[in-house]
Amino acid sequence: MAQNIVFSNDIEGTLDNVLAAKSFNCIAVIVDDNTARLVLPTLHSSALEKAHVITIGAGDVNKNLDTLASVWTSLEQMGATRSSLVVNLGGGVVTDLGGFAAATYKRGIPFINCPTTLLTAVDAAVGGKTGINFNGLKNEVGCFQEAIDVIISTRFFTTLPERELKSGYAEMLKHGMLSGHDDYERLLQFDFTAVDYDRLLDLLKTSVLIKEKIVRADPHEHGLRRALNLGHTVGHAFESLALRRGKPVPHGYAVAWGLVAEMVLSHMQLGFAASDLHQLARFVSDNYGAFYITCDDYDELLDLMHHDKKSQHGEINCSLLSACGDVKVGNTIADDDMKVALDIYRDLLGI
Amino acid sequence: MAQNIVFSNDIEGTLDNVLAAKSFNCIAVIVDDNTARLVLPTLHSSALEKAHVITIGAGDVNKNLDTLASVWTSLEQMGATRSSLVVNLGGGVVTDLGGFAAATYKRGIPFINCPTTLLTAVDAAVGGKTGINFNGLKNEVGCFQEAIDVIISTRFFTTLPERELKSGYAEMLKHGMLSGHDDYERLLQFDFTAVDYDRLLDLLKTSVLIKEKIVRADPHEHGLRRALNLGHTVGHAFESLALRRGKPVPHGYAVAWGLVAEMVLSHMQLGFAASDLHQLARFVSDNYGAFYITCDDYDELLDLMHHDKKSQHGEINCSLLSACGDVKVGNTIADDDMKVALDIYRDLLGI
């Protein structure tokens, strides 16, 4: 069953319509400290007025079992049943944890996602991945369960810091590259120095529907869905290295840099066009700068890649493109090839 | 997708066949203290020899979040991935909790159920309900996820106490009544004073397939699956009252007594045949005795029924039969009617 994804800046009207169409005996809104303070008070939805509010701590550090148990308890205390509804209003922590809580409370009650960041709208809110971190491992526990509705509005994004916008945009760039040359080109023309939010909503619609189509074909990530991992094998390694250095980088930035390295590999192994690679490198360099590495970091980076969650037998595994719109999943990468790709990544981004 | 259900007393051969047909990078067997001691050492399966054993505490009191987290941790420590397998070897606590752990570890890895009690074989092991108790509420948290295979053998049942056998048999009786008059009649002829295990396996096959068919039609319990609640509205109230009295009764016994009371209601409201009702009452009285209540207990019992998990708006709700094989779900029962039914239940069972 396809998720119902609504793109609208009239979020109250949309919420009221969606909620009026179904009959729920009670509604819980899950927010974090930030969306409780900054977003919830700006929503004048009559349907939400009677809702119970469940507030969780903001930040990935709270995406854990204790918070999950506290949400289950709150649902119980308000008397939620399978005829109740959960509305997740926030970023990825809220949609991932709130979705998992709803998917498992009384063996599953329906939930709606209202993402408040671009990254969440284009990534976590759609596609049914829910979960929490466990024993220090990201998304170690969770399940696949789709929100009945996803309501996407750029209204929340106008107050996001540029860094946050760009972080989400990198995932859009990835979707564009998976879709085809036209979508990709359109994305490269976006101007972050004068953000046009209507244009962003248009691009976002296309982007979310690309993801939705891939998820629909392979909801439980047995094959094609791994295409969405484009840029993430190298990206995750950069992200982890940055964390170890004590200087974390936004997820999307790591993905943007990872895309450059993985398009180098795509060029080397599948003939991805050099001109497209250079165009990508320029866009990334202009908007995201570069993640600084030297050849002294290679062994540590490769070690991280060998231990990536998506690695099946300890090999480095990437989704690569022969051209925009033409993905091949499950490519095994030899260590030496990865080192060459990192060399060229550094050249391209002027490190 | 239908579950693969195998009925065989050659459990090692079946397990080896099932495991040989698929390629898993590691296997975890979840057992409880009892099955670790009494069952696991009797299984000479070559496929299981290399398996990691995860032992949990026996009994419903261990079906909780702490045990669940310990199973996730054990899976992590053995390096389980989505290419690994969990084998649940035990009663309902093991299949419910082990199934939930597998369904949520890394967003879901496959699991097989090998029930070691009749009640679990006919009830918990088939149909995809997984879960744990939470905040003192039974099965408050969980999900619907079916085992890829269920391997049912009566070999384990030969050492079960008669009470355990009869407890499971009550759920078989329920399935027979849901299926039709012939299945029901066959079940009433079973002789517990000289148990024929081959005959039991035959009856069990029919019974499990009746459940499977109902689950298949309504996996997430939106309608028809509630038929499986037959006998349970009154049965759960008896079970809870017994617990409060400090004299717990086996689940199946409570279901058997509950079936009598609910067939009285079925007779009163839907014309269920008096002869079938009397036949049932005799079988239950002969094999299960009676749950002793007086009219002083009625208010407490009705209160328990109003707060049953399956109650949607605080009303007493029962699945009832107009005849064997003809179920009607979602019947609202007035308090006075329930009291009359309890009066007649006492008459029929000679209380």
Side-chain angles (χ1 to χ4, degrees):
Chain A
M1 196 179 68
Q3 276 185 311
N4 182 32
I5 305 178
V6 183
F7 299 88
S8 168
N9 282 336
D10 172 19
I11 192 153
E12 289 92 343
T14 308
L15 257 176
D16 286 349
N17 280 342
V18 164
L19 297 183
K22 291 156 185 141
S23 148
F24 299 105
N25 64 1
C26 86
I27 298 175
V29 183
I30 304 185
V31 288
D32 67 18
D33 297 331
N34 293 330
T35 53
R37 195 164 41 89
L38 301 172
V39 178
L40 194 57
T42 71
L43 279 187
H44 305 289
S45 149
S46 58
L48 284 191
E49 261 171 28
K50 287 162 285 181
H52 301 257
V53 177
I54 301 176
T55 306
I56 66 175
D60 201 59
V61 69
N62 290 302
K63 195 171 132 180
N64 60 28
L65 192 55
D66 286 344
T67 309
L68 179 68
S70 77
V71 172
W72 284 331
T73 299
S74 298
L75 289 169
E76 242 172 56
Q77 285 168 348
M78 74 182 58
T81 70
R82 286 198 199 151
S83 306
S84 306
L85 175 78
V86 165
V87 177
N88 294 316
L89 180 68
V93 172
V94 168
T95 60
D96 280 7
L97 186 144
F100 189 38
T104 49
Y105 177 72
K106 293 188 190 286
R107 296 204 188 92
I109 70 174
F111 62 99
I112 288 178
N113 284 338
C114 298
T116 56
T117 70
L118 181 61
L119 182 61
T120 307
V122 76
D123 194 19
V126 174
K129 284 193 178 180
T130 74
I132 55 168
N133 306 328
F134 183 69
N135 284 351
L137 295 165
K138 282 183 72 74
N139 302 318
E140 183 67 353
V141 164
C143 65
F144 288 96
Q145 184 63 52
E146 295 198 329
I148 54 169
D149 298 288
V150 182
I151 303 176
I152 295 178
S153 160
T154 53
R155 199 175 98 185
F156 304 129
F157 307 159
T158 54
T159 52
L160 288 179
E162 189 181 314
R163 250 172 112 78
E164 280 288 329
L165 264 193
K166 285 184 177 170
S167 185
Y169 201 84
E171 294 282 355
M172 291 170 61
L173 207 57
K174 179 194 79 179
H175 291 164
M177 298 180 80
L178 288 170
S179 172
H181 216 273
D182 289 354
D183 285 326
Y184 176 53
E185 288 282 347
R186 258 193 300 277
L187 287 161
L188 291 181
Q189 284 152 24
F190 195 74
D191 182 1
F192 279 104
T193 60
V195 173
D196 174 344
Y197 287 95
D198 290 331
R199 175 120 191 85
L200 183 62
L201 185 59
D202 268 352
L203 292 168
L204 181 57
K205 270 187 209 177
T206 308
S207 191
V208 168
L209 296 178
I210 293 167
K211 174 169 180 183
E212 168 71 7
K213 195 173 152 192
I214 292 173
V215 168
R216 197 60 45 220
D218 175 27
H220 292 172
E221 203 168 31
H222 298 304
L224 180 62
R225 186 167 182 160
R226 288 155 64 200
L228 296 171
N229 206 40
L230 196 75
H232 282 65
T233 301
V234 177
H236 279 151
F238 285 172
E239 206 175 352
S240 298
L241 184 60
L243 208 60
R244 288 184 184 176
R245 288 175 177 169
K247 292 180 182 169
V249 295
H251 174 70
Y253 279 58
V255 170
W257 299 322
L259 281 172
V260 174
E262 295 189 18
M263 286 316 107
V264 172
L265 284 166
S266 295
H267 174 67
M268 288 161 55
Q269 303 202 347
L270 300 178
F272 183 78
S275 56
D276 284 337
L277 171 59
H278 284 100
Q279 210 179 8
L280 173 71
R282 204 172 316 120
F283 184 84
V284 170
S285 173
D286 287 352
N287 290 290
Y288 299 86
F291 182 64
Y292 185 80
I293 53 168
T294 72
C295 47
D296 290 342
D297 296 310
Y298 287 7
D299 284 342
E300 188 169 1
L301 285 169
L302 265 66
D303 189 60
L304 285 163
M305 293 177 208
H306 280 288
H307 288 91
D308 190 277
K309 197 163 62 166
K310 302 281 166 72
S311 165
Q312 296 206 315
H313 307 283
E315 292 163 335
I316 299 178
N317 198 289
C318 290
S319 297
L320 299 178
L321 299 179
S322 56
C324 286
D326 197 355
V327 67
K328 186 165 169 251
V329 302
N331 303 278
T332 301
I333 312 296
D335 284 11
D336 284 347
D337 288 339
M338 184 56 83
K339 287 179 182 172
V340 172
L342 293 173
D343 281 341
I344 300 176
Y345 155 87
R346 289 163 61 206
D347 274 354
L348 285 168
L349 297 190
I351 304 172
Chain B
M1 195 180 70
Q3 276 186 309
N4 182 34
I5 306 178
V6 183
F7 299 88
S8 169
N9 282 336
D10 172 20
I11 192 153
E12 290 92 343
T14 309
L15 256 177
D16 286 348
N17 280 342
V18 164
L19 297 183
K22 291 155 186 143
S23 149
F24 299 105
N25 64 1
C26 87
I27 297 175
V29 183
I30 304 184
V31 288
D32 67 18
D33 296 331
N34 294 330
T35 54
R37 195 165 40 90
L38 300 172
V39 178
L40 194 58
T42 72
L43 279 187
H44 305 290
S45 150
S46 58
L48 284 191
E49 261 170 29
K50 288 162 287 181
H52 301 256
V53 177
I54 301 176
T55 306
I56 65 174
D60 201 59
V61 68
N62 290 302
K63 196 172 132 180
N64 59 29
L65 192 54
D66 286 343
T67 308
L68 178 68
S70 77
V71 172
W72 284 332
T73 299
S74 298
L75 288 170
E76 243 172 56
Q77 284 168 348
M78 73 181 61
T81 70
R82 287 197 199 151
S83 307
S84 307
L85 175 78
V86 166
V87 177
N88 295 316
L89 180 69
V93 172
V94 169
T95 61
D96 280 8
L97 185 143
F100 189 38
T104 49
Y105 177 72
K106 291 188 189 288
R107 295 201 188 93
I109 70 175
F111 63 98
I112 288 179
N113 284 339
C114 299
T116 56
T117 71
L118 182 60
L119 182 61
T120 307
V122 77
D123 195 19
V126 174
K129 284 193 178 180
T130 74
I132 56 169
N133 306 327
F134 183 69
N135 284 352
L137 295 164
K138 281 182 72 72
N139 301 319
E140 182 68 353
V141 164
C143 66
F144 289 96
Q145 182 65 52
E146 295 197 329
I148 54 168
D149 297 290
V150 183
I151 303 175
I152 295 178
S153 161
T154 53
R155 198 176 98 185
F156 304 128
F157 308 158
T158 53
T159 53
L160 287 179
E162 189 181 313
R163 250 173 112 79
E164 280 289 328
L165 264 194
K166 285 185 177 169
S167 185
Y169 201 83
E171 294 282 356
M172 291 171 60
L173 207 58
K174 179 194 79 179
H175 292 164
M177 298 180 80
L178 288 170
S179 172
H181 216 273
D182 290 352
D183 285 325
Y184 176 53
E185 287 281 348
R186 258 193 299 276
L187 287 162
L188 292 182
Q189 286 154 22
F190 195 74
D191 182 2
F192 278 105
T193 61
V195 173
D196 174 345
Y197 287 95
D198 289 332
R199 175 121 190 83
L200 182 63
L201 185 59
D202 268 353
L203 291 168
L204 180 57
K205 270 187 208 179
T206 308
S207 192
V208 168
L209 295 178
I210 293 166
K211 174 168 180 182
E212 169 71 8
K213 194 174 153 192
I214 292 173
V215 168
R216 198 60 44 221
D218 175 27
H220 292 171
E221 203 168 29
H222 297 304
L224 180 61
R225 186 166 182 160
R226 288 155 64 200
L228 295 171
N229 206 40
L230 196 75
H232 282 65
T233 300
V234 176
H236 279 151
F238 285 172
E239 207 176 352
S240 298
L241 184 60
L243 207 60
R244 288 184 184 176
R245 288 174 177 172
K247 292 181 182 169
V249 294
H251 174 70
Y253 278 58
V255 170
W257 299 321
L259 280 172
V260 173
E262 294 189 18
M263 287 316 106
V264 172
L265 284 166
S266 295
H267 174 67
M268 287 161 56
Q269 303 204 347
L270 299 177
F272 183 79
S275 56
D276 285 335
L277 170 58
H278 284 100
Q279 209 179 10
L280 174 71
R282 204 172 317 120
F283 184 84
V284 170
S285 173
D286 288 350
N287 290 290
Y288 297 87
F291 182 64
Y292 185 80
I293 52 168
T294 71
C295 46
D296 290 341
D297 297 311
Y298 287 7
D299 284 342
E300 188 169 1
L301 285 169
L302 264 66
D303 189 60
L304 284 164
M305 294 178 207
H306 280 287
H307 289 91
D308 190 277
K309 196 163 64 166
K310 301 284 165 69
S311 165
Q312 296 205 316
H313 305 284
E315 292 164 333
I316 299 179
N317 198 288
C318 290
S319 297
L320 299 178
L321 299 180
S322 56
C324 286
D326 198 355
V327 66
K328 187 167 168 249
V329 302
N331 303 277
T332 300
I333 311 296
D335 283 10
D336 284 347
D337 288 339
M338 184 56 84
K339 288 178 182 172
V340 172
L342 291 174
D343 281 341
I344 301 176
Y345 154 87
R346 289 164 60 205
D347 276 352
L348 285 168
L349 297 189
I351 304 173

